[in-house]
Amino acid sequence: MIDYDGRRFRAPDGDTATEAVYHQQDDFVWGEVAGGAVRRGWTAGTRDADGTLSMGYTIVFASGEVVCGRTVNTPELTEDGRVRLHEAWERYGPHAATGVSYIEEVA
């Protein structure tokens, strides 16, 4: 079972200055993200037995734009044993959108 506490993640094809740090207590998982184009962001949700995360998020960008949404993150392992999260996300509000992205654990 994956324990997310203390793990750091970045988008492999994104801004390397943006990093998320996750925390966990039992099945409750939360995280903070900052750096690069992200002024500050937060996520919170629950972890299923298989490690899948169901979370809500709020991000404040350096531009001042605020986005909120939800995401279901399915874990995979990279060849070198790091956690990669497949994120199926939905953004709400005036810039509503859906999509898929990945973040990988920082070695």
Side-chain angles (χ1 to χ4, degrees):
M1 185 173 302
I2 298 171
D3 183 354
Y4 289 96
D5 196 48
R7 293 184 190 252
R8 297 177 300 131
F9 294 89
R10 288 188 192 138
D13 57 354
D15 182 354
T16 59
T18 305
E19 186 172 288
V21 179
Y22 280 45
H23 309 280
Q24 182 175 336
Q25 187 174 55
D26 300 320
D27 70 335
F28 179 57
V29 178
W30 69 99
E32 300 93 24
V33 61
V38 175
R39 194 166 168 189
R40 184 71 64 186
W42 302 268
T43 187
T46 57
R47 182 200 66 190
D48 292 341
D50 68 357
T52 299
L53 302 173
S54 298
M55 306 179 90
Y57 65 86
T58 301
I59 299 172
V60 179
F61 288 96
S63 66
E65 180 184 17
V66 177
V67 297
C68 300
R70 68 184 178 116
T71 182
V72 175
N73 297 351
T74 306
E76 307 169 350
L77 292 179
T78 63
E79 288 184 16
D80 60 0
R82 294 176 297 121
V83 176
R84 174 185 296 130
L85 293 174
H86 171 268
E87 301 179 309
W89 52 267
E90 179 180 10
R91 184 177 293 174
Y92 307 135
H95 303 290
T98 60
V100 172
S101 58
Y102 291 88
I103 58 174
E104 291 183 356
E105 184 175 9
V106 177

